């Protein structure tokens, strides 16, 4: 799983940074995560989840990065309905 996680790191890092700087880039980040999530399905893409979580951790512990924008983005996702869209 480590190798797969590392393959997502660069793409996710760039997408997350873009999303924090420009709201229009949030859609691109959402599409990336959605298309590679393997959901709905029996198993989620754990490599993607680990890579995303690690990058979020790095942002949160770095006092020079815009944590407020990240909180707003994640709060918006947390408020989404659990209904599966088809």
């Amino acid at each position: 799983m480590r190798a797969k996680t590392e393959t997502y790191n660069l793409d996710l890092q760039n997408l997350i940074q873009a999303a924090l700087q420009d709201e229009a880039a949030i859609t691109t980040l959402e599409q990336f995560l959605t298309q590679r999530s393997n959901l709905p399905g029996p198993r989620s893409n754990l490599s993607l989840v680990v890579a995303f979580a690690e990058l979020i951790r790095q942002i949160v512990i770095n006092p020079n990065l815009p944590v407020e924008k990240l909180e707003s983005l994640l709060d918006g996702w947390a408020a989404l309905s659990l209904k599966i869209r088809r």
Side-chain angles (χ1 to χ4, degrees), residues 11 26 30 85:
D11 288 333
I26 292 172
E30 290 173 343
R85 291 182 275 182

Side-chain angles (χ1 to χ4, degrees), residues 17 20-21 59 62-71:
Q17 290 303 322
L20 294 177
Q21 294 172 6
I59 292 169
N62 185 337
N64 298 319
L65 295 175
V67 176
E68 297 80 19
K69 289 183 179 182
L70 176 63
E71 286 177 1

Side-chain angles (χ1 to χ4, degrees), residues 1-13 32 36 38 43-52 54-55:
M1 181 167 67
R2 185 82 170 133
K4 286 183 182 181
T5 300
E6 290 173 4
T7 63
Y8 290 120
N9 277 341
L10 183 58
D11 288 333
L12 278 172
Q13 188 172 25
F32 182 89
R36 289 160 180 82
N38 296 342
R43 297 185 183 155
S44 62
N45 183 341
L46 295 181
S47 297
L48 179 63
V49 171
V50 169
F52 183 77
E54 177 58 26
L55 290 169

